[in-house]
Amino acid sequence: MSQQNERGTSRSEPNGGRPPDEEPRGRRFAPGAWMASTAVQTIVVLVGLAVVLFAVGQAVGVDLLGMIGEALATHTGQWLAVAVIALIVVGAALRAMSHTLPRW
């Protein structure tokens, strides 16, 4: 379906008039797009957390970032970091699965 815009040229609908369920798989599911989006969101969250920890530490006079760094230097802290990374990977996988169609 075409529509006339202000300049008199016609413009077609973005998906060619097909319902979303009939779009080709390549348009709906771009693995690179969700992976990049997940990576950017994770980086933004981590930078935001560091800024908040720094700001709160400055407000109360405690070096919170230093304490976190010392905690991550321990064996238990390193395993906690691995667990957080695993949670991020699981979250990315769940997000990817929400973009695919069920096969049944």
Side-chain angles (χ1 to χ4, degrees):
M1 298 188 141
S2 297
Q3 295 177 350
Q4 243 11 42
N5 65 11
E6 299 168 348
R7 297 182 189 165
T9 59
S10 65
R11 155 179 83 108
S12 62
E13 291 180 10
N15 61 358
R18 291 180 296 192
D21 290 339
E22 294 179 5
E23 283 186 14
R25 181 180 170 97
R27 283 190 183 171
R28 288 181 295 114
F29 181 71
W34 67 259
M35 186 59 136
S37 174
T38 301
V40 168
Q41 288 178 1
T42 302
I43 291 170
V44 168
V45 166
L46 291 176
V47 169
L49 181 63
V51 169
V52 167
L53 285 173
F54 177 75
V56 171
Q58 292 295 314
V60 297
V62 177
D63 185 21
L64 292 177
L65 283 178
M67 292 170 60
I68 298 292
E70 290 173 8
L72 289 175
T74 66
H75 190 69
T76 304
Q78 291 170 358
W79 277 110
L80 286 174
V82 168
V84 168
I85 291 170
L87 284 174
I88 291 169
V89 170
V90 168
L94 288 174
R95 189 167 175 216
M97 289 177 64
S98 70
H99 291 288
T100 60
L101 285 175
R103 294 186 181 224
W104 59 83

